[in-house]
Amino acid sequence: MWYAIVGTDNPDSLAGRKAARPAHLARLKQLQAEGRLFVAGPFPAIDSPDPGPAGFTGSLIVAEFTSLADAETWAKADPYLAAGVYRETAVKPFLKALP
């Protein structure tokens, strides 16, 4: 089943996000290689594809896991959480309706 993982950034977390990004992306690329990644990306803090120093407010990941518990375990191991970028993560089952 698909699960939506929403990470919410701490204020002023851009430097930590940049430092932890390679490890964060490596985990996403592993999901992609396994055919389990639907979509992933950050929420810019301003209405721009390059928010510059404004940074980001969080991220969305939609990926396939065998259970909610597995998705939560995966989310808790995110390098952004360990680096203090995310102040919290929420994991919810997701049903794709369209397109």
Side-chain angles (χ1 to χ4, degrees), residues 2-6 24-25 27-29 31-32 35-43 59-65 74 86 94 96 98-99:
W2 295 110
Y3 293 89
I5 301 168
V6 178
H24 174 78
L25 289 179
R27 295 178 81 232
L28 293 172
K29 288 178 182 177
L31 287 176
Q32 184 179 24
R36 297 171 45 209
L37 182 64
F38 179 67
V39 67
F43 300 122
S59 303
L60 169 68
I61 300 163
V62 179
E64 187 176 32
F65 294 92
W74 188 91
Y86 291 159
F94 177 80
K96 181 181 180 235
L98 294 170

Side-chain angles (χ1 to χ4, degrees), residues 24 34 81 89-90 97:
H24 174 78
E34 295 169 1
L81 196 57
T89 56

